[in-house]
Amino acid sequence: MWIQYALFSSFLWAIVHILDEHCVDNIFSKPWLGVVTSSGISAGIFLVLPFLKIPVVIPHWDLLLICLVTGAIVQLSQFFYFRALDCSDSGTVAAYWNLTPIFLIVTSYWLFGYLITGNNYLGIVLLIVASVGLCSIDKFSNRWDTLYLMSIAAGLQTIVVLIEKYIFDRTEFFGAFLSIATGIIISGLSSLVMKEVRSTLREDLPKIQQALPVFIAIELTNLVALYTGQIAVKLGVPVLVSAIEASTPAYAFGLSLLITTLQGRNRQGVKPDLDETSQKLPIKWGFVGLMMAGVWLLGTTEQSGFR
């Protein structure tokens, strides 16, 4: 049963990436506006929580401060993510999130004495080869900028994962989760103090208001994807769940091709010719398969990997 949850979670994440790409390409005049709008929509959703009467244990002030800082780091990571979406397609950008396990393994080695095994080295090689391969066949002229931006985003996400591990080991999960989310919202909305952000938001506001259902759908899909992913981890094997969730870009590539095909039929009454990127879809899926294997190899080492 956990496999179905993991696959469904990956499918939902792919939808989120595609919708984010739509917003960057067709709604935002500046890609970083995604940070502001997602914070605003999340704040609106959080206003409903008191009516659900769910008991929440607020972390101690020192952990609460760490939670808020963690939320700010998440938003900084999202800033580079949205900029990367402005340089490439959603599937390729989603694939680069799989660089996070590499940074996690290396950081764990330096900070915690993690013993890197042969499987880990092989996983690192597979992820690097697949990332460079995807970048090489990307049709966009600034494809290497995408890899660079997502490497920064993945590095920041590594910091988030390590801090979250520290937090969740010391306090109640749901209260910490909400506190981190609060940090995400506060840091995102605090960017409104900058004049450029306010003026850009004011210019794009009519388009944003018109597309409000899209933004709500993105945030709700985010929540369901996170929930189903956590269920998969709880019911299954975390290493295998991570490997399955690495398939998100494969869904994104396939869905993007399907959407493009349907749009072409609706406009012209015939199926459009596959462009250069679509023709390379099997190659892209092959690289995603390498990434799934790489993520699995990076996670196969048990606790004995710590010395």
Side-chain angles (χ1 to χ4, degrees), residues 80-100:
F80 289 102
Y81 159 72
F82 279 108
R83 284 192 59 191
L85 276 177
D86 194 36
C87 300
S88 187
D89 61 87
S90 57
T92 301
V93 172
Y96 292 148
W97 280 121
N98 290 327
L99 292 172
T100 302

Side-chain angles (χ1 to χ4, degrees), residues 5-6 12 16 42 87 103 113 117 146 158 193 203 207 217 250 254 272 282 301:
Y5 280 113
L12 292 178
V16 170
S42 297
C87 300
F103 294 116
T117 67
T146 306
T158 300
V193 301
E203 293 174 1
K207 291 188 294 183
T301 306

